[in-house]
Amino acid sequence: MTINYGQTDHIEIESLDHLGIIMAVCETLDIENLIDKRLPQVRGVSLGKRVVAMILNGLGFINNRLYMHEKFLCDKPVEAFFGEGVSAKQFNDDALGRCLEEIYRYDPTKLFCEIMFEIAQKQKLIGKTIHVDTTTLGVYGDYDQKEGDKTPAPNYGYSKNNRFDLKQMTLGLATTGASGLPIFMESHSGNASDKKTLLTMSERIKSYCKNLIDADNLVIVADSALYDSCINHNPAFKWLTRVPNTHKKAKEWIQTASSELEWQPLENGYSFVSKQVNQKSIGQRWAMIYSPQAYEKEVETLGRTIKKEYEKVKAELWHLGNTKFQCEYDAKKALKQIAKKVKYHKIEDSIKPVHGYEKAGKPSINNPPIVKYYRVGSTLLLDEDKVDQARRTKGRFILATNELDTAKLPDRSLLSVYKEQGKTERGFQFIKDNTFQVDSIFLKKPERICGLMMVMTLCLVVYSFAQHCIREKLMQNNETVLNQVKKPTQKPTMRWISHVLQGIDVVKISTPDSQINTVSKLSAEQRRIISYFGPHAQALYGLHPQKTTR
């Protein structure tokens, strides 16, 4: 916004809000230069600047599509972000679309991994485990793919966000360390299978990690979709995953009575029991985890399931009992169909013939009664043995790893390591959140969608790193900030910090001889938060007015 005062002076106001923090984090991670080192030079603003501009838009927490990006930047301090002479018009949809195509030509996964492994090593954020998972993103529009084209393309598949009416893309993500920093991403077609993609992703991650110190001891952590692939293909990496209950050995062990198991206590009420297993010549350590909290919830759910089954089967048996069957075989067949559906009950039945006479009226001596039809009599009873067996499995699940050295990965640590999988899932929640608005993609080319998915993941990188930074600073300084309910916390979310920094403007006062840039509305808490992100953030927020002479 520009306000003119006569013919000599005018004031221009630009919205800065939390974007100065986002820009400072991008500078700290050196995202622009890392991209420009790999992608070709182009006319106008560099491709690195265009990616950073899309990150600013993605983390602006407003619904701005790619074609509205120029409008998003029009009231922002673009020159302060990208250098003198750079304007919002240079970030139009054509410029950003070409940038996404260049990302695809280079290979989005390769570009992202090269950048992130360099960042993670420099910032010392790589942990001992890497957590892998996938999600789906809805896509609007029609996308025709040529025969033989291997570009990941929108397709119908199992939708994890329940939008079965939309085509979708599958996004694979891997995170590591205490910050849950994404270090790997890969886009797949919408109908890709988790059992295949998790294995190929894990193998690619291992190849990118080969130059790391202690790379041989890195453990890939994923959900149960990875387990079958691991025991069928025996990949050359260490893994930790959940065992599907469909496996015979797992089913038998999980149904074992507690009195026959030697449980060992863990934190928060958990307990575990472990053993070594050999599946398809692959040595593994299994740990069965028991949670009393989960047991109570699952037993309650089991009770409701048993009740629903009773009511449903009881109604079916009533209708069956009122049906006339022409032969005993048909009656048994109908009863068998109902019995197949029964899981927690047993049916005591009797099939009885119903006698009558061929003709109405008083029967004669020479007209004996005959069997006219058959009826099914039944009683539905609770099967106590099956219910007890089902109760024993509640609150239990099995984790498996091929890391047999308990010194490197103790049995007691398996649960805590596996639960860090939640950081990857929270990353997906962030990407799919309505305020982030990238879950539903509006692009014309599959190549651009693949490029945008990399940029989306970079948004998550910047968000995760910024959140990690402020939490680390608060811990180091033994300080707190007030959360949404006015209580002090050392673990604020970056989204809340963004809210705290809303309403900050850059005010430019121009005269014929000079220009004064200052930032309005900075409270003491805002100044303190900005200081946590270093000198570049402080310079962007102009904590002291800067005067330049022309």
PDB file of all heavy atoms in Angstrom, residues 134-139 143 151-156 158 166-172 186-192 432 439 441 445-451 453:
ATOM      1  N   THR A 134       4.091 -43.303   3.408  1.00  0.00           N
ATOM      2  CA  THR A 134       3.499 -42.728   2.194  1.00  0.00           C
ATOM      3  C   THR A 134       2.137 -42.129   2.525  1.00  0.00           C
ATOM      4  O   THR A 134       1.493 -42.490   3.510  1.00  0.00           O
ATOM      5  CB  THR A 134       3.306 -43.790   1.096  1.00  0.00           C
ATOM      6  OG1 THR A 134       2.354 -44.770   1.541  1.00  0.00           O
ATOM      7  CG2 THR A 134       4.623 -44.462   0.741  1.00  0.00           C
ATOM      8  N   THR A 135       1.692 -41.219   1.672  1.00  0.00           N
ATOM      9  CA  THR A 135       0.336 -40.689   1.757  1.00  0.00           C
ATOM     10  C   THR A 135      -0.132 -40.365   0.346  1.00  0.00           C
ATOM     11  O   THR A 135       0.621 -40.476  -0.616  1.00  0.00           O
ATOM     12  CB  THR A 135       0.276 -39.435   2.642  1.00  0.00           C
ATOM     13  OG1 THR A 135      -1.101 -39.125   2.933  1.00  0.00           O
ATOM     14  CG2 THR A 135       0.913 -38.227   1.973  1.00  0.00           C
ATOM     15  N   THR A 136      -1.402 -39.971   0.219  1.00  0.00           N
ATOM     16  CA  THR A 136      -1.954 -39.639  -1.096  1.00  0.00           C
ATOM     17  C   THR A 136      -2.443 -38.199  -1.105  1.00  0.00           C
ATOM     18  O   THR A 136      -2.918 -37.683  -0.088  1.00  0.00           O
ATOM     19  CB  THR A 136      -3.126 -40.571  -1.455  1.00  0.00           C
ATOM     20  OG1 THR A 136      -4.134 -40.522  -0.421  1.00  0.00           O
ATOM     21  CG2 THR A 136      -2.635 -42.002  -1.609  1.00  0.00           C
ATOM     22  N   LEU A 137      -2.324 -37.545  -2.255  1.00  0.00           N
ATOM     23  CA  LEU A 137      -2.760 -36.163  -2.447  1.00  0.00           C
ATOM     24  C   LEU A 137      -3.750 -36.115  -3.596  1.00  0.00           C
ATOM     25  O   LEU A 137      -3.449 -36.593  -4.700  1.00  0.00           O
ATOM     26  CB  LEU A 137      -1.567 -35.250  -2.744  1.00  0.00           C
ATOM     27  CG  LEU A 137      -0.429 -35.253  -1.721  1.00  0.00           C
ATOM     28  CD1 LEU A 137       0.739 -34.426  -2.226  1.00  0.00           C
ATOM     29  CD2 LEU A 137      -0.906 -34.732  -0.383  1.00  0.00           C
ATOM     30  N   GLY A 138      -4.922 -35.550  -3.353  1.00  0.00           N
ATOM     31  CA  GLY A 138      -5.949 -35.469  -4.387  1.00  0.00           C
ATOM     32  C   GLY A 138      -5.550 -34.525  -5.512  1.00  0.00           C
ATOM     33  O   GLY A 138      -4.928 -33.489  -5.292  1.00  0.00           O
ATOM     34  N   VAL A 139      -5.922 -34.886  -6.741  1.00  0.00           N
ATOM     35  CA  VAL A 139      -5.573 -34.100  -7.932  1.00  0.00           C
ATOM     36  C   VAL A 139      -6.836 -33.842  -8.737  1.00  0.00           C
ATOM     37  O   VAL A 139      -7.599 -34.765  -9.016  1.00  0.00           O
ATOM     38  CB  VAL A 139      -4.535 -34.854  -8.804  1.00  0.00           C
ATOM     39  CG1 VAL A 139      -4.237 -34.075 -10.068  1.00  0.00           C
ATOM     40  CG2 VAL A 139      -3.259 -35.088  -8.017  1.00  0.00           C
ATOM     41  N   TYR A 143      -5.770 -36.208 -16.726  1.00  0.00           N
ATOM     42  CA  TYR A 143      -4.361 -36.321 -17.106  1.00  0.00           C
ATOM     43  C   TYR A 143      -4.196 -37.562 -17.963  1.00  0.00           C
ATOM     44  O   TYR A 143      -4.335 -38.685 -17.486  1.00  0.00           O
ATOM     45  CB  TYR A 143      -3.466 -36.421 -15.865  1.00  0.00           C
ATOM     46  CG  TYR A 143      -3.512 -35.181 -14.991  1.00  0.00           C
ATOM     47  CD1 TYR A 143      -4.511 -35.030 -14.029  1.00  0.00           C
ATOM     48  CD2 TYR A 143      -2.587 -34.170 -15.152  1.00  0.00           C
ATOM     49  CE1 TYR A 143      -4.572 -33.899 -13.242  1.00  0.00           C
ATOM     50  CE2 TYR A 143      -2.632 -33.028 -14.366  1.00  0.00           C
ATOM     51  CZ  TYR A 143      -3.626 -32.900 -13.415  1.00  0.00           C
ATOM     52  OH  TYR A 143      -3.680 -31.782 -12.641  1.00  0.00           O
ATOM     53  N   THR A 151       6.523 -41.474 -16.292  1.00  0.00           N
ATOM     54  CA  THR A 151       6.323 -40.357 -15.373  1.00  0.00           C
ATOM     55  C   THR A 151       5.222 -40.691 -14.371  1.00  0.00           C
ATOM     56  O   THR A 151       4.134 -41.120 -14.773  1.00  0.00           O
ATOM     57  CB  THR A 151       5.914 -39.091 -16.156  1.00  0.00           C
ATOM     58  OG1 THR A 151       6.899 -38.799 -17.134  1.00  0.00           O
ATOM     59  CG2 THR A 151       5.780 -37.902 -15.207  1.00  0.00           C
ATOM     60  N   PRO A 152       5.460 -40.545 -13.062  1.00  0.00           N
ATOM     61  CA  PRO A 152       4.372 -40.749 -12.097  1.00  0.00           C
ATOM     62  C   PRO A 152       3.193 -39.853 -12.456  1.00  0.00           C
ATOM     63  O   PRO A 152       3.371 -38.647 -12.675  1.00  0.00           O
ATOM     64  CB  PRO A 152       5.008 -40.344 -10.763  1.00  0.00           C
ATOM     65  CG  PRO A 152       6.473 -40.537 -10.962  1.00  0.00           C
ATOM     66  CD  PRO A 152       6.731 -40.194 -12.398  1.00  0.00           C
ATOM     67  N   ALA A 153       2.020 -40.419 -12.557  1.00  0.00           N
ATOM     68  CA  ALA A 153       0.865 -39.669 -13.043  1.00  0.00           C
ATOM     69  C   ALA A 153      -0.332 -39.882 -12.131  1.00  0.00           C
ATOM     70  O   ALA A 153      -0.439 -40.907 -11.453  1.00  0.00           O
ATOM     71  CB  ALA A 153       0.524 -40.106 -14.468  1.00  0.00           C
ATOM     72  N   PRO A 154      -1.254 -38.900 -12.091  1.00  0.00           N
ATOM     73  CA  PRO A 154      -2.476 -39.057 -11.298  1.00  0.00           C
ATOM     74  C   PRO A 154      -3.274 -40.270 -11.756  1.00  0.00           C
ATOM     75  O   PRO A 154      -3.387 -40.536 -12.948  1.00  0.00           O
ATOM     76  CB  PRO A 154      -3.239 -37.762 -11.569  1.00  0.00           C
ATOM     77  CG  PRO A 154      -2.184 -36.775 -11.960  1.00  0.00           C
ATOM     78  CD  PRO A 154      -1.163 -37.572 -12.716  1.00  0.00           C
ATOM     79  N   ASN A 155      -3.794 -40.998 -10.797  1.00  0.00           N
ATOM     80  CA  ASN A 155      -4.583 -42.185 -11.107  1.00  0.00           C
ATOM     81  C   ASN A 155      -5.500 -42.469  -9.924  1.00  0.00           C
ATOM     82  O   ASN A 155      -5.287 -41.971  -8.820  1.00  0.00           O
ATOM     83  CB  ASN A 155      -3.670 -43.386 -11.372  1.00  0.00           C
ATOM     84  CG  ASN A 155      -4.276 -44.344 -12.389  1.00  0.00           C
ATOM     85  OD1 ASN A 155      -5.494 -44.497 -12.459  1.00  0.00           O
ATOM     86  ND2 ASN A 155      -3.422 -44.976 -13.173  1.00  0.00           N
ATOM     87  N   TYR A 156      -6.524 -43.266 -10.167  1.00  0.00           N
ATOM     88  CA  TYR A 156      -7.395 -43.682  -9.072  1.00  0.00           C
ATOM     89  C   TYR A 156      -6.720 -44.789  -8.280  1.00  0.00           C
ATOM     90  O   TYR A 156      -6.052 -45.660  -8.832  1.00  0.00           O
ATOM     91  CB  TYR A 156      -8.739 -44.175  -9.618  1.00  0.00           C
ATOM     92  CG  TYR A 156      -9.581 -43.081 -10.232  1.00  0.00           C
ATOM     93  CD1 TYR A 156      -9.757 -43.008 -11.618  1.00  0.00           C
ATOM     94  CD2 TYR A 156     -10.193 -42.112  -9.439  1.00  0.00           C
ATOM     95  CE1 TYR A 156     -10.525 -42.007 -12.189  1.00  0.00           C
ATOM     96  CE2 TYR A 156     -10.957 -41.105 -10.002  1.00  0.00           C
ATOM     97  CZ  TYR A 156     -11.122 -41.064 -11.376  1.00  0.00           C
ATOM     98  OH  TYR A 156     -11.869 -40.055 -11.932  1.00  0.00           O
ATOM     99  N   TYR A 158      -6.363 -46.389  -3.774  1.00  0.00           N
ATOM    100  CA  TYR A 158      -6.886 -46.318  -2.407  1.00  0.00           C
ATOM    101  C   TYR A 158      -6.544 -44.950  -1.814  1.00  0.00           C
ATOM    102  O   TYR A 158      -5.374 -44.592  -1.674  1.00  0.00           O
ATOM    103  CB  TYR A 158      -6.297 -47.415  -1.539  1.00  0.00           C
ATOM    104  CG  TYR A 158      -6.790 -47.331  -0.104  1.00  0.00           C
ATOM    105  CD1 TYR A 158      -8.077 -47.739   0.230  1.00  0.00           C
ATOM    106  CD2 TYR A 158      -5.983 -46.808   0.897  1.00  0.00           C
ATOM    107  CE1 TYR A 158      -8.544 -47.643   1.524  1.00  0.00           C
ATOM    108  CE2 TYR A 158      -6.443 -46.704   2.203  1.00  0.00           C
ATOM    109  CZ  TYR A 158      -7.718 -47.127   2.513  1.00  0.00           C
ATOM    110  OH  TYR A 158      -8.188 -47.016   3.792  1.00  0.00           O
ATOM    111  N   LEU A 166     -11.610 -38.528  -6.596  1.00  0.00           N
ATOM    112  CA  LEU A 166     -10.519 -37.812  -7.253  1.00  0.00           C
ATOM    113  C   LEU A 166      -9.387 -38.757  -7.641  1.00  0.00           C
ATOM    114  O   LEU A 166      -9.119 -39.735  -6.949  1.00  0.00           O
ATOM    115  CB  LEU A 166      -9.945 -36.738  -6.315  1.00  0.00           C
ATOM    116  CG  LEU A 166     -10.843 -35.581  -5.905  1.00  0.00           C
ATOM    117  CD1 LEU A 166     -10.094 -34.660  -4.961  1.00  0.00           C
ATOM    118  CD2 LEU A 166     -11.338 -34.814  -7.114  1.00  0.00           C
ATOM    119  N   LYS A 167      -8.732 -38.416  -8.744  1.00  0.00           N
ATOM    120  CA  LYS A 167      -7.447 -39.044  -8.997  1.00  0.00           C
ATOM    121  C   LYS A 167      -6.459 -38.539  -7.961  1.00  0.00           C
ATOM    122  O   LYS A 167      -6.698 -37.520  -7.305  1.00  0.00           O
ATOM    123  CB  LYS A 167      -6.967 -38.706 -10.419  1.00  0.00           C
ATOM    124  CG  LYS A 167      -7.760 -39.405 -11.520  1.00  0.00           C
ATOM    125  CD  LYS A 167      -7.159 -39.118 -12.882  1.00  0.00           C
ATOM    126  CE  LYS A 167      -7.914 -39.882 -13.970  1.00  0.00           C
ATOM    127  NZ  LYS A 167      -7.325 -39.640 -15.322  1.00  0.00           N
ATOM    128  N   GLN A 168      -5.348 -39.225  -7.823  1.00  0.00           N
ATOM    129  CA  GLN A 168      -4.423 -38.857  -6.754  1.00  0.00           C
ATOM    130  C   GLN A 168      -2.982 -39.157  -7.154  1.00  0.00           C
ATOM    131  O   GLN A 168      -2.711 -39.875  -8.113  1.00  0.00           O
ATOM    132  CB  GLN A 168      -4.761 -39.625  -5.482  1.00  0.00           C
ATOM    133  CG  GLN A 168      -4.638 -41.135  -5.627  1.00  0.00           C
ATOM    134  CD  GLN A 168      -5.115 -41.887  -4.404  1.00  0.00           C
ATOM    135  OE1 GLN A 168      -5.819 -41.360  -3.564  1.00  0.00           O
ATOM    136  NE2 GLN A 168      -4.707 -43.139  -4.290  1.00  0.00           N
ATOM    137  N   MET A 169      -2.068 -38.546  -6.408  1.00  0.00           N
ATOM    138  CA  MET A 169      -0.649 -38.872  -6.483  1.00  0.00           C
ATOM    139  C   MET A 169      -0.244 -39.437  -5.127  1.00  0.00           C
ATOM    140  O   MET A 169      -0.842 -39.110  -4.096  1.00  0.00           O
ATOM    141  CB  MET A 169       0.182 -37.633  -6.800  1.00  0.00           C
ATOM    142  CG  MET A 169      -0.012 -37.087  -8.200  1.00  0.00           C
ATOM    143  SD  MET A 169       0.778 -38.097  -9.471  1.00  0.00           S
ATOM    144  CE  MET A 169       2.511 -37.719  -9.195  1.00  0.00           C
ATOM    145  N   THR A 170       0.763 -40.290  -5.129  1.00  0.00           N
ATOM    146  CA  THR A 170       1.288 -40.851  -3.884  1.00  0.00           C
ATOM    147  C   THR A 170       2.620 -40.175  -3.562  1.00  0.00           C
ATOM    148  O   THR A 170       3.485 -40.073  -4.432  1.00  0.00           O
ATOM    149  CB  THR A 170       1.495 -42.370  -4.007  1.00  0.00           C
ATOM    150  OG1 THR A 170       0.246 -42.988  -4.306  1.00  0.00           O
ATOM    151  CG2 THR A 170       2.042 -42.949  -2.711  1.00  0.00           C
ATOM    152  N   LEU A 171       2.737 -39.702  -2.335  1.00  0.00           N
ATOM    153  CA  LEU A 171       3.969 -39.052  -1.875  1.00  0.00           C
ATOM    154  C   LEU A 171       4.639 -39.930  -0.836  1.00  0.00           C
ATOM    155  O   LEU A 171       4.041 -40.277   0.181  1.00  0.00           O
ATOM    156  CB  LEU A 171       3.666 -37.678  -1.270  1.00  0.00           C
ATOM    157  CG  LEU A 171       4.836 -36.960  -0.577  1.00  0.00           C
ATOM    158  CD1 LEU A 171       5.940 -36.636  -1.590  1.00  0.00           C
ATOM    159  CD2 LEU A 171       4.349 -35.681   0.107  1.00  0.00           C
ATOM    160  N   GLY A 172       5.882 -40.329  -1.115  1.00  0.00           N
ATOM    161  CA  GLY A 172       6.688 -41.065  -0.146  1.00  0.00           C
ATOM    162  C   GLY A 172       7.616 -40.111   0.572  1.00  0.00           C
ATOM    163  O   GLY A 172       8.205 -39.221  -0.045  1.00  0.00           O
ATOM    164  N   GLU A 186       9.699 -38.907  -2.599  1.00  0.00           N
ATOM    165  CA  GLU A 186       9.567 -39.542  -3.903  1.00  0.00           C
ATOM    166  C   GLU A 186       8.098 -39.534  -4.283  1.00  0.00           C
ATOM    167  O   GLU A 186       7.231 -39.877  -3.480  1.00  0.00           O
ATOM    168  CB  GLU A 186      10.111 -40.973  -3.856  1.00  0.00           C
ATOM    169  CG  GLU A 186      10.298 -41.606  -5.220  1.00  0.00           C
ATOM    170  CD  GLU A 186      11.078 -42.906  -5.123  1.00  0.00           C
ATOM    171  OE1 GLU A 186      10.570 -43.870  -4.511  1.00  0.00           O
ATOM    172  OE2 GLU A 186      12.211 -42.964  -5.637  1.00  0.00           O
ATOM    173  N   SER A 187       7.808 -39.130  -5.510  1.00  0.00           N
ATOM    174  CA  SER A 187       6.426 -39.122  -5.988  1.00  0.00           C
ATOM    175  C   SER A 187       6.156 -40.389  -6.793  1.00  0.00           C
ATOM    176  O   SER A 187       7.024 -40.881  -7.523  1.00  0.00           O
ATOM    177  CB  SER A 187       6.162 -37.880  -6.852  1.00  0.00           C
ATOM    178  OG  SER A 187       7.113 -37.772  -7.886  1.00  0.00           O
ATOM    179  N   HIS A 188       4.940 -40.921  -6.633  1.00  0.00           N
ATOM    180  CA  HIS A 188       4.529 -42.136  -7.328  1.00  0.00           C
ATOM    181  C   HIS A 188       3.128 -41.925  -7.900  1.00  0.00           C
ATOM    182  O   HIS A 188       2.383 -41.034  -7.455  1.00  0.00           O
ATOM    183  CB  HIS A 188       4.500 -43.329  -6.376  1.00  0.00           C
ATOM    184  CG  HIS A 188       5.850 -43.706  -5.834  1.00  0.00           C
ATOM    185  ND1 HIS A 188       6.706 -44.564  -6.483  1.00  0.00           N
ATOM    186  CD2 HIS A 188       6.480 -43.322  -4.699  1.00  0.00           C
ATOM    187  CE1 HIS A 188       7.809 -44.706  -5.771  1.00  0.00           C
ATOM    188  NE2 HIS A 188       7.698 -43.961  -4.687  1.00  0.00           N
ATOM    189  N   SER A 189       2.762 -42.752  -8.837  1.00  0.00           N
ATOM    190  CA  SER A 189       1.404 -42.701  -9.386  1.00  0.00           C
ATOM    191  C   SER A 189       0.388 -43.011  -8.291  1.00  0.00           C
ATOM    192  O   SER A 189       0.706 -43.643  -7.279  1.00  0.00           O
ATOM    193  CB  SER A 189       1.259 -43.698 -10.532  1.00  0.00           C
ATOM    194  OG  SER A 189       2.116 -43.353 -11.608  1.00  0.00           O
ATOM    195  N   GLY A 190      -0.845 -42.575  -8.518  1.00  0.00           N
ATOM    196  CA  GLY A 190      -1.862 -42.682  -7.480  1.00  0.00           C
ATOM    197  C   GLY A 190      -2.266 -44.088  -7.114  1.00  0.00           C
ATOM    198  O   GLY A 190      -2.834 -44.313  -6.048  1.00  0.00           O
ATOM    199  N   ASN A 191      -1.987 -45.065  -7.980  1.00  0.00           N
ATOM    200  CA  ASN A 191      -2.365 -46.451  -7.691  1.00  0.00           C
ATOM    201  C   ASN A 191      -1.172 -47.294  -7.235  1.00  0.00           C
ATOM    202  O   ASN A 191      -1.221 -48.522  -7.279  1.00  0.00           O
ATOM    203  CB  ASN A 191      -3.015 -47.095  -8.918  1.00  0.00           C
ATOM    204  CG  ASN A 191      -2.092 -47.070 -10.138  1.00  0.00           C
ATOM    205  OD1 ASN A 191      -1.030 -46.459 -10.113  1.00  0.00           O
ATOM    206  ND2 ASN A 191      -2.517 -47.725 -11.215  1.00  0.00           N
ATOM    207  N   ALA A 192      -0.088 -46.643  -6.815  1.00  0.00           N
ATOM    208  CA  ALA A 192       1.110 -47.369  -6.384  1.00  0.00           C
ATOM    209  C   ALA A 192       0.830 -48.142  -5.093  1.00  0.00           C
ATOM    210  O   ALA A 192       0.089 -47.683  -4.224  1.00  0.00           O
ATOM    211  CB  ALA A 192       2.268 -46.402  -6.172  1.00  0.00           C
ATOM    212  N   LYS A 432      -1.272 -31.894   4.443  1.00  0.00           N
ATOM    213  CA  LYS A 432      -2.674 -32.063   4.071  1.00  0.00           C
ATOM    214  C   LYS A 432      -3.602 -31.127   4.837  1.00  0.00           C
ATOM    215  O   LYS A 432      -4.810 -31.157   4.637  1.00  0.00           O
ATOM    216  CB  LYS A 432      -3.085 -33.516   4.311  1.00  0.00           C
ATOM    217  CG  LYS A 432      -2.322 -34.494   3.426  1.00  0.00           C
ATOM    218  CD  LYS A 432      -2.374 -35.904   3.967  1.00  0.00           C
ATOM    219  CE  LYS A 432      -3.661 -36.592   3.619  1.00  0.00           C
ATOM    220  NZ  LYS A 432      -3.733 -36.970   2.209  1.00  0.00           N
ATOM    221  N   ASP A 439      -2.894 -30.051  -0.497  1.00  0.00           N
ATOM    222  CA  ASP A 439      -3.390 -31.421  -0.633  1.00  0.00           C
ATOM    223  C   ASP A 439      -4.079 -31.616  -1.986  1.00  0.00           C
ATOM    224  O   ASP A 439      -3.928 -32.627  -2.641  1.00  0.00           O
ATOM    225  CB  ASP A 439      -4.351 -31.719   0.517  1.00  0.00           C
ATOM    226  CG  ASP A 439      -4.915 -33.119   0.437  1.00  0.00           C
ATOM    227  OD1 ASP A 439      -4.291 -33.958  -0.217  1.00  0.00           O
ATOM    228  OD2 ASP A 439      -5.956 -33.372   1.041  1.00  0.00           O
ATOM    229  N   ILE A 441      -4.195 -30.566  -5.716  1.00  0.00           N
ATOM    230  CA  ILE A 441      -3.255 -29.941  -6.643  1.00  0.00           C
ATOM    231  C   ILE A 441      -3.973 -29.534  -7.921  1.00  0.00           C
ATOM    232  O   ILE A 441      -4.770 -30.279  -8.456  1.00  0.00           O
ATOM    233  CB  ILE A 441      -2.098 -30.914  -6.958  1.00  0.00           C
ATOM    234  CG1 ILE A 441      -1.385 -31.306  -5.667  1.00  0.00           C
ATOM    235  CG2 ILE A 441      -1.113 -30.312  -7.932  1.00  0.00           C
ATOM    236  CD1 ILE A 441      -0.367 -32.407  -5.839  1.00  0.00           C
ATOM    237  N   LYS A 445       0.206 -30.475 -15.894  1.00  0.00           N
ATOM    238  CA  LYS A 445       1.150 -31.493 -16.342  1.00  0.00           C
ATOM    239  C   LYS A 445       1.609 -32.366 -15.183  1.00  0.00           C
ATOM    240  O   LYS A 445       1.940 -31.851 -14.122  1.00  0.00           O
ATOM    241  CB  LYS A 445       2.375 -30.827 -16.989  1.00  0.00           C
ATOM    242  CG  LYS A 445       2.080 -30.005 -18.221  1.00  0.00           C
ATOM    243  CD  LYS A 445       3.369 -29.408 -18.774  1.00  0.00           C
ATOM    244  CE  LYS A 445       3.117 -28.569 -20.018  1.00  0.00           C
ATOM    245  NZ  LYS A 445       4.385 -27.988 -20.537  1.00  0.00           N
ATOM    246  N   PRO A 446       1.677 -33.685 -15.378  1.00  0.00           N
ATOM    247  CA  PRO A 446       2.217 -34.552 -14.328  1.00  0.00           C
ATOM    248  C   PRO A 446       3.637 -34.171 -13.931  1.00  0.00           C
ATOM    249  O   PRO A 446       4.016 -34.296 -12.764  1.00  0.00           O
ATOM    250  CB  PRO A 446       2.173 -35.945 -14.973  1.00  0.00           C
ATOM    251  CG  PRO A 446       1.087 -35.860 -15.998  1.00  0.00           C
ATOM    252  CD  PRO A 446       1.147 -34.460 -16.524  1.00  0.00           C
ATOM    253  N   GLU A 447       4.438 -33.691 -14.894  1.00  0.00           N
ATOM    254  CA  GLU A 447       5.808 -33.283 -14.580  1.00  0.00           C
ATOM    255  C   GLU A 447       5.818 -32.143 -13.571  1.00  0.00           C
ATOM    256  O   GLU A 447       6.648 -32.120 -12.648  1.00  0.00           O
ATOM    257  CB  GLU A 447       6.544 -32.843 -15.854  1.00  0.00           C
ATOM    258  CG  GLU A 447       6.784 -33.958 -16.860  1.00  0.00           C
ATOM    259  CD  GLU A 447       5.597 -34.193 -17.786  1.00  0.00           C
ATOM    260  OE1 GLU A 447       4.552 -33.536 -17.585  1.00  0.00           O
ATOM    261  OE2 GLU A 447       5.700 -35.032 -18.691  1.00  0.00           O
ATOM    262  N   ARG A 448       4.914 -31.191 -13.745  1.00  0.00           N
ATOM    263  CA  ARG A 448       4.852 -30.060 -12.808  1.00  0.00           C
ATOM    264  C   ARG A 448       4.352 -30.522 -11.437  1.00  0.00           C
ATOM    265  O   ARG A 448       4.774 -29.993 -10.407  1.00  0.00           O
ATOM    266  CB  ARG A 448       3.953 -28.954 -13.360  1.00  0.00           C
ATOM    267  CG  ARG A 448       4.545 -28.251 -14.570  1.00  0.00           C
ATOM    268  CD  ARG A 448       3.740 -27.015 -14.953  1.00  0.00           C
ATOM    269  NE  ARG A 448       4.343 -26.301 -16.076  1.00  0.00           N
ATOM    270  CZ  ARG A 448       3.925 -25.109 -16.522  1.00  0.00           C
ATOM    271  NH1 ARG A 448       2.887 -24.514 -15.936  1.00  0.00           N
ATOM    272  NH2 ARG A 448       4.532 -24.523 -17.529  1.00  0.00           N
ATOM    273  N   ILE A 449       3.458 -31.496 -11.435  1.00  0.00           N
ATOM    274  CA  ILE A 449       2.981 -32.022 -10.151  1.00  0.00           C
ATOM    275  C   ILE A 449       4.131 -32.654  -9.385  1.00  0.00           C
ATOM    276  O   ILE A 449       4.291 -32.431  -8.182  1.00  0.00           O
ATOM    277  CB  ILE A 449       1.847 -33.047 -10.383  1.00  0.00           C
ATOM    278  CG1 ILE A 449       0.612 -32.346 -10.956  1.00  0.00           C
ATOM    279  CG2 ILE A 449       1.496 -33.748  -9.075  1.00  0.00           C
ATOM    280  CD1 ILE A 449      -0.516 -33.290 -11.297  1.00  0.00           C
ATOM    281  N   CYS A 450       4.968 -33.434 -10.068  1.00  0.00           N
ATOM    282  CA  CYS A 450       6.121 -34.060  -9.403  1.00  0.00           C
ATOM    283  C   CYS A 450       7.064 -32.993  -8.854  1.00  0.00           C
ATOM    284  O   CYS A 450       7.589 -33.129  -7.741  1.00  0.00           O
ATOM    285  CB  CYS A 450       6.859 -34.965 -10.380  1.00  0.00           C
ATOM    286  SG  CYS A 450       5.914 -36.423 -10.900  1.00  0.00           S
ATOM    287  N   GLY A 451       7.287 -31.923  -9.631  1.00  0.00           N
ATOM    288  CA  GLY A 451       8.143 -30.836  -9.153  1.00  0.00           C
ATOM    289  C   GLY A 451       7.541 -30.134  -7.956  1.00  0.00           C
ATOM    290  O   GLY A 451       8.241 -29.799  -6.990  1.00  0.00           O
ATOM    291  N   MET A 453       5.506 -31.378  -5.768  1.00  0.00           N
ATOM    292  CA  MET A 453       5.565 -32.248  -4.582  1.00  0.00           C
ATOM    293  C   MET A 453       6.918 -32.120  -3.879  1.00  0.00           C
ATOM    294  O   MET A 453       7.014 -32.203  -2.664  1.00  0.00           O
ATOM    295  CB  MET A 453       5.275 -33.690  -4.975  1.00  0.00           C
ATOM    296  CG  MET A 453       3.822 -33.917  -5.370  1.00  0.00           C
ATOM    297  SD  MET A 453       3.476 -35.560  -6.038  1.00  0.00           S
ATOM    298  CE  MET A 453       3.371 -36.523  -4.549  1.00  0.00           C
TER     299      MET A 453
END
